[in-house]
Amino acid sequence: MEVVTEKQNSHKEDVREQKRKLLFNFVTICFIWLFVFTAYSGLQNLEAAVNAETGLYSLAAVTSGGVISCLVAPTVISYIGSKGALIVACICQCIFVAANYYPKPYILITGGAIVGLSSGLLWTAQSCYVTMIALDYHKITGESLEAILSRLFGIFFMAFQSTQVWGNLISSAVFQLGGASTEQTNNTFCGAQYCPSEQTISNGNETSEAVVRPDQHLEITLISIYLGITFIGLLLTVFVLKPIKSSMSDKYSTLKERLAANLKLLFTDLNMAMIIPFALYTGMEQVMMFAQFTTVTVWGIADAVWQAQSDALLGSVFHQNPEIAFSNYLMFQAMGLAIAYIYNIYLCEEMKLYILGVTVIISLIFLCIIEFRVRRRKREEK
């Protein structure tokens, strides 16, 4: 009896140790994003104000590069691993932040393109990490995989979305403590009938906002802080994060097979095809939320649910090929961002809302079909 008890205690101790290691890796991922994207979010929100049109072109280069990198992300990750992909991406993030020291158009746009080309690696590797952690946790505890994925992605996106707060707090503190001057301008427009081409605005539709115009010393101070924060994220990735094995390394031996597997899932898997409209929508709605409806708290809550639960759904449905599934999803999400950035310049607010409304309805119909198919498959397996 004592021998059995000792074995049980030893098994429980092993389980606790495995759970501890998994959760430690997950917390590390959250802190990496917290540091890296506090800097990125802060710069992203200031680019248009501080660097005028060049900043917007730089952000467009980020989006365009993301579309390209998502195509090859699974193949690259299969060679260098998810941790290697994160290290490369964090280095590119440092380059993007440092490019703001010398904000000439060719420097900023090049920096945006570099970080864009690494974004597919960054987000695909992150999604693989969380999915594999959830899978291992599911095997150890026997808890529902969907519940674990939903919980972990929810916590992760809480950390990620909070970077908007920390990034803005840092920039606000630097500018205020440094005595940055502000200029009151009438350049915020409201209403569904507003069109970018309109030159005259009625008094009822115009509001004022303060545009911060920092001096060069404050800009350098802020960029240095952001660069230091990003470098901390890089150090965590290199020295603290534990590597995981790629799901593609054992299945496909050649470069051609790995590229073909990426395209095969995209064009032959019905669930993957049906999730494309939702991927486009999650990109398009972010542009609307951050650019037009920045004061709607309700939309922010919905965005948090969409971002977290879409990744949980992908991790559950495609847990055998997470790199390929997440890279395809992120590619179409980046396309949605690019499309919205383009039509945002030309279309009236009312038309933008119609486009989003139709897209979200189509997306929800397909998501319901995917959910039905997944549940039916599980019943058949049982």
Side-chain angles (χ1 to χ4, degrees):
M1 181 67 69
E2 292 181 359
V3 174
V4 174
T5 304
E6 288 180 4
K7 288 183 177 179
Q8 290 176 342
N9 292 335
S10 177
H11 175 69
K12 289 180 181 179
E13 185 63 32
D14 289 341
V15 170
R16 281 195 293 268
E17 181 64 18
Q18 291 177 52
K19 288 168 64 176
R20 187 192 66 79
K21 290 180 178 178
L22 290 173
L23 293 177
F24 178 82
N25 232 19
F26 172 71
V27 171
T28 302
I29 282 283
C30 291
F31 272 101
I32 289 170
W33 251 250
L34 192 65
F35 284 110
V36 171
F37 278 91
T38 288
Y40 179 82
S41 297
L43 278 177
Q44 183 185 43
N45 294 333
L46 287 172
E47 286 291 6
V50 175
N51 297 314
E53 292 184 359
T54 302
L56 292 176
Y57 287 128
S58 175
L59 296 177
V62 173
T63 305
S64 302
V67 175
I68 299 171
S69 64
C70 286
L71 282 171
V72 298
T75 304
V76 175
I77 291 174
S78 69
Y79 284 105
I80 66 175
S82 293
K83 178 172 179 175
L86 290 180
I87 292 173
V88 171
C90 287
I91 292 173
C92 292
Q93 291 279 350
C94 290
I95 293 172
F96 174 72
V97 175
N100 286 265
Y101 279 122
Y102 192 69
K104 298 296 181 181
Y106 61 92
I107 297 292
L108 279 182
I109 295 173
T110 301
I114 290 173
V115 80
L117 289 172
S118 71
S119 63
L121 295 176
L122 182 76
W123 286 100
T124 301
Q126 170 270 320
S127 299
C128 291
Y129 256 101
V130 177
T131 299
M132 298 308 291
I133 289 170
L135 274 171
D136 290 341
Y137 200 87
H138 160 70
K139 293 174 183 177
I140 293 171
T141 64
E143 189 179 348
S144 166
L145 176 60
E146 290 81 0
I148 298 171
L149 282 167
S150 180
R151 184 163 64 248
L152 292 186
F153 276 114
I155 295 171
F156 168 79
F157 277 100
M158 177 188 71
F160 167 61
Q161 297 289 9
S162 73
T163 61
Q164 291 281 342
V165 177
W166 310 125
N168 291 336
L169 280 176
I170 290 172
S171 62
S172 177
V174 170
F175 292 157
Q176 289 185 12
L177 293 176
S181 60
T182 61
E183 179 180 325
Q184 201 75 11
T185 59
N186 294 326
N187 61 354
T188 302
F189 312 109
C190 305
Q193 302 302 319
Y194 169 72
C195 299
S197 59
E198 292 181 355
Q199 298 298 321
T200 58
I201 305 99
S202 62
N203 291 333
N205 279 345
E206 71 175 356
T207 59
S208 296
E209 68 173 6
V211 178
V212 178
R213 303 188 183 281
D215 59 32
Q216 188 176 13
H217 173 72
L218 291 181
E219 283 189 49
I220 292 175
T221 300
L222 180 61
I223 294 167
S224 299
I225 293 172
Y226 283 153
L227 184 59
I229 292 172
T230 308
F231 191 69
I232 293 174
L234 174 60
L235 293 178
L236 286 175
T237 307
V238 174
F239 297 108
V240 181
L241 186 67
K242 304 301 180 185
I244 60 171
K245 190 175 183 180
S246 169
S247 66
M248 295 181 68
S249 57
D250 294 332
K251 298 177 183 177
Y252 312 104
S253 57
T254 66
L255 175 63
K256 183 179 179 180
E257 288 178 348
R258 290 168 179 174
L259 288 172
N262 193 23
L263 296 175
K264 182 180 178 181
L265 182 68
L266 180 61
F267 291 108
T268 63
D269 190 285
L270 184 58
N271 287 337
M272 191 75 250
M274 287 192 294
I275 211 168
I276 288 174
F278 185 66
L280 290 169
Y281 173 75
T282 57
M284 294 160 62
E285 63 90 13
Q286 288 183 67
V287 176
M288 175 64 77
M289 181 178 67
F290 287 115
Q292 272 77 39
F293 289 87
T294 53
T295 58
V296 181
T297 58
V298 177
W299 198 316
I301 294 173
D303 177 72
V305 174
W306 286 325
Q307 298 298 332
Q309 298 309 310
S310 61
D311 278 17
L313 175 65
L314 280 168
S316 174
V317 177
F318 303 103
H319 60 269
Q320 294 181 339
N321 296 293
E323 293 102 332
I324 300 174
F326 280 109
S327 66
N328 283 331
Y329 178 85
L330 291 166
M331 178 179 67
F332 283 100
Q333 188 179 62
M335 285 184 183
L337 283 163
I339 291 169
Y341 275 130
I342 293 171
Y343 72 55
N344 186 61
I345 302 172
Y346 304 103
L347 297 182
C348 300
E349 302 303 312
E350 187 176 28
M351 182 57 65
K352 298 172 190 175
L353 291 173
Y354 284 139
I355 293 173
L356 285 178
V358 171
T359 307
V360 74
I361 290 172
I362 295 173
S363 301
L364 290 175
I365 292 172
F366 283 141
L367 287 176
C368 290
I369 296 174
I370 293 173
E371 183 70 20
F372 172 77
R373 284 167 54 85
V374 170
R375 294 195 177 200
R376 184 179 65 180
R377 185 193 66 190
K378 288 182 178 179
R379 286 197 300 267
E380 292 173 351
E381 289 176 351
K382 288 182 179 180

